[in-house]
Amino acid sequence: MGNTVKSFFLFLILFCRAVVEAQVADPIKWTTETEKISDTEYLLIAKAALDTGWHLYAQQVPDEGPVPTSFIYDDSSGNFRIVGNTQEEEGKIIYDPVFEMEVKYFENSAIFKQKIEVTKELGDILALVEYMVCDDTRCLPPEEEELTFNLTEETIAETSKGSVRAVDSTSPEAEDLGSESRGLITIFFLSFLGGFAALLTPCVFPMIPMTVSFFTKQSKTRASGIKNALLYGLFIIVIYVVLGSVVTAIFGADSLNALSTNVVFNLIFFALLIFFACSFLGAFELVLPSSWATKIDSQTDRGGLIGIFFMALALAIVSFSCTGPIVGTLLVEAASKGGLAPIIGMLGFSLAIALPFALFASFPGWLNSLPKSGGWLNTVKVVLGFLELAFAFKFLSNADLVLQLHLLERETFLAIWIANFGALAFYLFGKITLPHDSPLPHISVGRLGLGLFVLAFVVYMIPGLWGAPLQWISGFPPPTQYSESPYGVGNSKGVAGTSIELPDHAELGPLDLITFKDYEAGMAYAKKVNKPVMLDFTGYACVNCRKMEERVWPEPQIQQILREELVLISLYIDDKKELPKAAQYVSETTGKKIRTIGNKWSDFQIREYRANAQPYYVLVDLEGNKLGEPKAYDPDVESYLAWLQNGVEYYKQGYNTL
């Protein structure tokens, strides 16, 4: 009897587990509330409830990361005005194993608040939220949810003015602080290096002996000179930290973070870096109005703390033509991280500038060990200009990737970098001169060594035009599949050395596999060649999809089956291209509006296979019947191979279903 009961409960558990796993994952529920601040101001509150083990991403995430949560409020009627940005809870900043990066997300629940100012009486406000949810092993495709905020009196609760930001009480505060501190340390270190780079420019470096000599001569005692120099360095730090604080106050702690993944922001940043690079290369001088320097310089004779402060301010203004591009780049990059990053960034930058003045004032004898000012300072400036020029195209590439315009594909990007660093190598070898260069009868050993290093880097990049992975600069160029040619410039041969002829509506996918991105076209071709089909539900931003394609599919036996015995149909659920208006519809399964190609394939996956995670592989026959159970993410090569072999064998034996 006991064994019978035990068997019954075991069966019941397995049955329930199978039922649960067969359901479509829908781990998030959205609800809305409104709160009244004043007669004309309200808070629109969107609440997300998450199932255990799932998390929702914040509104700002790193590049090449998950899809951020975003809100669009329908204010087309003109009855209300959006005030500020949508605020969110503190959340968690931890290492995400799916995307392999530090990212901010929410567990259990999340609250988003948007302040509005009502101009006319209204009842409802409509909004659209786009989001992505993941667990530790998989992500669901990006979803859109229509939200309705009711502004009738009986649904509105009074709230104290200014209670816009909520706090996530479930977030371990210590863990958040630890993650944030690691990010701030990185910002500080990079800004510190940027400060040292600025120190070695012709606007700053010559100021060291001049300033130190001033303090040692004007001070009655050595101790007094050291004190004044330390105060001078401290005021330099204060000036730049105040600048970082102003940026944070004006733009907000998180607003520039949202811009960092925005196409317009990337284009503006591209233009800024080009502008800064031209200044460094000598096209023009980037200077503040001379009247500013004159007025500040007149205050330096006042003596005491005020005089020292104005000396530090004079340094910041006079050196702006060299420090401006570096400060501008660091500020925008740091501000894109949100929070205190701009302040910490300016602290690191100014500390690197201030330290030499304080140290050399304390130990004047060290001045004898400094190299003399000369043409090498302008060389540092020009090298920085070439680096700014190279980095500028990364931001242009980001915009192109988001829009999928294919205007700056991998080969084009690499060609630009090869030309840029090739020109830098010729400059270092003295074959190219720029406007502010001094006569160069010979080059130093250090300059020769740097030139050889840059030339070696150029040679290293050249094979990338023919498909080399270029791991040194991984993350800067577009991915290998975002290329003009799958085999590199001027090469149309396959892996085996034979030309690949593509069927109609097909293209080359991972590993040069013939791939269809349209279900109907792929099925038609499968019937023509009489082969079973593998439906590959995937995504452009799907990390686990790339892992399968790069670590499992290349295995010889698996690749042979995919290449010779199956027709591959890859359906991208995050394809943002809009369907024609006539082809848009409301899903019978989810009730959501299907607007894009990605929405269409996601709805197809849910409707036909009751699943919506990627990657998701389904083997089907020519009528669309399954040839076995579908396969999710599985890095086990043997398991995946057995699954493929079984499906192909079922097809050959004439089985349509299990």
Side-chain angles (χ1 to χ4, degrees), residues 206-419:
M207 299 289 289
I208 297 175
M210 293 171 55
T211 305
V212 171
S213 297
F214 173 83
F215 283 124
T216 54
K217 290 178 181 178
Q218 295 296 320
S219 303
K220 296 180 180 180
T221 63
R222 184 171 182 272
S224 176
I226 293 175
K227 182 190 73 172
N228 291 337
L230 291 175
L231 286 172
Y232 179 72
L234 178 62
F235 283 135
I236 291 174
I237 295 173
V238 169
I239 289 167
Y240 282 104
V241 169
V242 167
L243 177 61
S245 302
V246 169
V247 170
T248 302
I250 292 176
F251 295 103
D254 297 314
S255 59
L256 280 181
N257 194 341
L259 292 176
S260 65
T261 56
N262 183 276
V263 172
V264 175
F265 171 82
N266 279 283
L267 292 176
I268 291 174
F269 203 18
F270 165 73
L272 277 176
L273 288 184
I274 293 292
F275 178 76
F276 292 153
C278 291
S279 173
F280 270 154
L281 294 175
F284 52 83
E285 286 292 332
L286 188 64
V287 295
L288 295 174
S290 59
S291 59
W292 292 17
T294 303
K295 291 180 180 179
I296 295 299
D297 190 58
S298 66
Q299 301 294 321
T300 59
D301 296 328
R302 297 182 61 176
L305 292 177
I306 296 178
I308 295 174
F309 172 78
F310 279 106
M311 282 189 65
L313 187 58
L315 172 68
I317 291 176
V318 171
S319 64
F320 183 76
S321 61
C322 293
T323 60
I326 300 175
V327 168
T329 302
L330 289 174
L331 268 180
V332 178
E333 184 64 20
S336 69
K337 308 300 181 185
L340 296 175
I343 299 174
I344 298 299
M346 287 301 94
L347 176 62
F349 177 85
S350 58
L351 186 62
I353 295 286
L355 271 177
F357 290 94
L359 289 175
F360 283 110
S362 302
F363 307 96
W366 289 3
L367 287 174
N368 297 326
S369 63
L370 280 179
K372 295 181 179 180
S373 300
W376 69 273
L377 291 174
N378 189 69
T379 300
V380 172
K381 192 176 175 182
V382 170
V383 170
L384 291 175
F386 277 108
L387 290 176
E388 295 251 4
L389 195 60
F391 290 145
F393 284 93
K394 170 59 181 171
F395 293 94
L396 184 62
S397 173
N398 288 344
D400 183 58
L401 281 168
V402 170
L403 296 175
Q404 289 287 299
L405 296 178
H406 289 267
L407 298 177
L408 191 61
E409 294 179 313
R410 185 177 176 87
E411 294 90 344
T412 308
F413 183 96
L414 289 175
I416 292 171
W417 267 40
I418 289 169

